[in-house]
Amino acid sequence: DCVFDNAKLKRLDFHGSSFTRCVFRGELREVQFSDRAFNAEGVTPNTMEDVDFSSASLRQVEFRRLDLDRVRFPIDDQHFLVCDYSAALDRALGQLAGCGDRLSRSMHAFLEVHRKWAGPNQAVGVFNRRDLKELFGEEGGARCEALVLGQSV
């Protein structure tokens, strides 16, 4: 039941902190949410229930081992949602496998990290277009987005 209004959160790892009925507004940069804290045996895992990021800017935000089925993501020009998240990442990774150019290898490594941390039943994921452009350049960011969304490149 917390509101993080104009949240200028930067380089913050919430570890396994639980979030229930929380709202985030403003920029979150290099923030990490996980299902549980490192070496925290017997602690109830974070399930992120009814968490609202719809008015947030998610910049290099990581969600680790979370299903995110009760999370609202921003729907704007800056972000895009990916349905059937794990399958979409697997498909994109398959298309990038064996590509020898540096950009493809970088995208593959980036998407491998996202796949590694996908929740066991995660249906939807979110990416920030500005993050992709900063990582891969204008054309590379658009290519990465197309690959993840299953569009021809």
Side-chain angles (χ1 to χ4, degrees):
D1 292 311
C2 294
V3 175
F4 297 84
D5 206 7
N6 283 328
K8 295 283 184 187
L9 301 176
K10 187 172 183 177
R11 293 190 182 122
L12 180 61
D13 187 343
F14 281 110
H15 299 283
S17 300
S18 291
F19 291 90
T20 304
R21 294 178 305 280
C22 295
V23 176
F24 290 84
R25 297 184 191 117
E27 183 174 280
L28 285 71
R29 185 182 288 268
E30 298 176 50
V31 176
Q32 192 176 97
F33 299 92
S34 301
D35 66 336
R36 31 182 111 243
F38 184 68
N39 287 333
E41 301 293 324
V43 177
T44 304
N46 173 24
T47 55
M48 300 205 76
E49 296 180 29
D50 302 324
V51 178
D52 185 352
F53 292 104
S54 63
S55 296
S57 173
L58 305 177
R59 301 296 316 274
Q60 301 172 18
V61 173
E62 292 182 37
F63 298 98
R64 294 183 168 199
R65 296 179 306 269
L66 293 162
D67 289 334
L68 306 173
D69 55 330
R70 295 187 57 189
V71 170
R72 288 182 58 207
F73 289 114
I75 299 175
D76 56 24
D77 292 342
Q78 187 180 146
H79 301 87
F80 66 94
L81 300 181
V82 179
C83 297
D84 201 8
Y85 188 63
S86 294
L89 292 174
D90 289 342
R91 182 181 54 248
L93 286 166
Q95 290 182 344
L96 290 167
C99 293
D101 63 286
R102 184 173 177 251
L103 180 60
S104 295
R105 289 193 315 269
S106 295
M107 281 185 214
H108 193 276
F110 172 79
L111 294 175
E112 266 186 328
V113 170
H114 282 268
R115 183 60 178 102
K116 172 185 176 181
W117 294 118
N121 299 302
Q122 185 176 350
V124 176
V126 64
F127 287 92
N128 185 300
R129 288 183 172 101
R130 287 175 34 202
D131 289 348
L132 296 180
K133 288 176 186 174
E134 285 176 9
L135 284 169
F136 307 121
E138 189 78 32
E139 288 180 24
R143 178 178 170 215
C144 189
E145 179 177 348
L147 283 166
V148 170
L149 292 176
Q151 302 167 348
S152 60
V153 287

